[in-house]
């Protein structure tokens, strides 16, 4: 698992470094435990608790995690008081710092709260990699473009395609918001699963997955 900040999307590298120093200024000693995750790493992580020993730590299959796209990082507590000790609200304080820098904080997920997790919101509408999958298919194709700067026009076109697809799905009765949640929770990796179409059905599956 890589904790190398330089593996992140260029726009997230600077914010990540800024985040670590802004936390430090508030007396919060942050360590980075995870940045970009390769397919092999995601596969191994997904297998954990399912076909390999350990407990389940992710519901996302490759490439559904923002980590696969270099758009997320995870932190740990590095002040010697326990890497995940949150008894004094340490992670929430870091969450506030991250949010002040425009990041999405995993502690704000409605289900499966993930307090060590931060994301660059820009490319992840509704915390979903759908827009990226539509535009780039695989993370490798996205990563290849990092050296060139995406123009505002290209970015707008990508988001317009994403929104058009959602409108299409919504018009044919798909519960698009619940579908994003279902994808994040690993219930489905289908764009529009034929097996469950209604809002109630998807919401029920999400509720079951959380339990
Ligand atoms: Zn994470």
């Amino acid at each position: 698992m890589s904790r190398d900040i330089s593996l992140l999307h260029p726009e997230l590298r600077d914010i990540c470094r800024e985040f670590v120093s802004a936390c430090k200024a508030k007396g919060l000693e942050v360590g980075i435990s995870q940045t970009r995750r390769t397919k092999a790493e995601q596969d191994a992580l997904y297998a954990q608790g399912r076909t390999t020993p350990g407990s389940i730590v992710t519901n996302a299959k490759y490439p559904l995690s923002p980590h696969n796209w270099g758009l997320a990082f995870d932190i740990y507590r590095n002040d010697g008081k326990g890497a995940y000790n949150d008894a004094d609200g340490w992670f929430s304080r870091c969450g506030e710092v991250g949010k002040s820098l425009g990041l999405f904080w995993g502690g704000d997920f409605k289900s499966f709260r993930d307090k060590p997790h931060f994301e660059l919101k820009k490319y992840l509408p509704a915390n979903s990699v759908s827009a990226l999958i539509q535009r780039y298919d695989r993370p490798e194709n996205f990563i290849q473009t990092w050296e060139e700067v995406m123009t505002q026009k290209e970015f707008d076109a990508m988001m317009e395609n994403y929104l058009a697809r959602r409108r299409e799905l919504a018009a044919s009765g798909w519960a698009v918001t619940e579908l994003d949640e279902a994808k994040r929770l690993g219930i489905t990796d289908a764009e529009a699963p034929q097996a469950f179409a209604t809002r109630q059905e998807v919401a029920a599956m999400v509720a079951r997955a959380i339990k």
Side-chain angles (χ1 to χ4, degrees), residues 117-173:
H117 176 92
F118 292 84
E119 293 177 2
L120 184 66
K121 284 195 275 193
K122 181 175 173 184
Y123 300 95
L124 303 166
N127 307 108
S128 150
V129 299
S130 296
L132 292 164
I133 290 178
Q134 256 178 264
R135 172 68 181 80
Y136 294 103
D137 190 37
R138 288 177 297 124
E140 297 87 307
N141 298 333
F142 179 55
I143 291 160
Q144 273 176 13
T145 68
W146 284 3
E147 297 313 313
E148 316 143 24
V149 178
M150 189 194 268
T151 64
Q152 188 62 41
K153 209 176 153 185
E154 285 166 336
F155 178 77
D156 291 346
M158 176 174 112
M159 286 304 158
E160 186 40 50
N161 282 342
Y162 165 75
L163 292 171
R165 177 73 180 136
R166 279 172 70 92
R167 281 194 296 270
E168 230 175 78
L169 289 172
S172 43

Side-chain angles (χ1 to χ4, degrees), residues 18-187:
E18 207 182 324
F19 167 79
V20 172
S21 51
C23 284
K24 200 180 176 77
K26 289 188 183 297
L28 303 162
E29 222 32 79
V30 164
I32 303 295
S33 59
Q34 174 90 113
T35 57
R36 194 166 93 210
R37 223 180 265 148
T38 63
K39 181 175 190 309
E41 288 168 338
Q42 188 73 30
D43 289 348
L45 207 63
Y46 187 80
Q48 189 182 318
R50 293 185 174 89
T51 53
T52 63
S55 50
I56 288 179
V57 286
T58 184
N59 286 304
K61 276 187 188 173
Y62 186 87
L64 294 181
S65 167
H67 284 284
N68 302 144
W69 300 80
L71 295 172
F73 63 85
D74 297 331
I75 64 165
Y76 65 95
R77 184 172 182 162
N78 202 19
D79 60 5
K81 293 182 180 162
Y84 297 100
N85 175 10
D86 193 31
D88 53 357
W90 189 90
F91 280 88
S92 301
R93 293 179 64 200
C94 293
E96 290 308 318
V97 175
K99 290 194 292 189
S100 76
L101 294 171
L103 295 170
F104 175 83
W105 176 48
D108 284 337
F109 280 129
K110 276 176 269 151
S111 48
F112 257 69
R113 294 183 76 199
D114 188 0
K115 290 183 183 181
H117 176 92
F118 292 84
E119 293 177 2
L120 184 66
K121 284 195 275 193
K122 181 175 173 184
Y123 300 95
L124 303 166
N127 307 108
S128 150
V129 299
S130 296
L132 292 164
I133 290 178
Q134 256 178 264
R135 172 68 181 80
Y136 294 103
D137 190 37
R138 288 177 297 124
E140 297 87 307
N141 298 333
F142 179 55
I143 291 160
Q144 273 176 13
T145 68
W146 284 3
E147 297 313 313
E148 316 143 24
V149 178
M150 189 194 268
T151 64
Q152 188 62 41
K153 209 176 153 185
E154 285 166 336
F155 178 77
D156 291 346
M158 176 174 112
M159 286 304 158
E160 186 40 50
N161 282 342
Y162 165 75
L163 292 171
R165 177 73 180 136
R166 279 172 70 92
R167 281 194 296 270
E168 230 175 78
L169 289 172
S172 43
W174 302 110
V176 286
T177 306
E178 287 78 1
L179 196 57
D180 281 332
E181 180 82 344
K183 277 194 273 191
R184 188 175 69 78
L185 294 172
I187 299 165

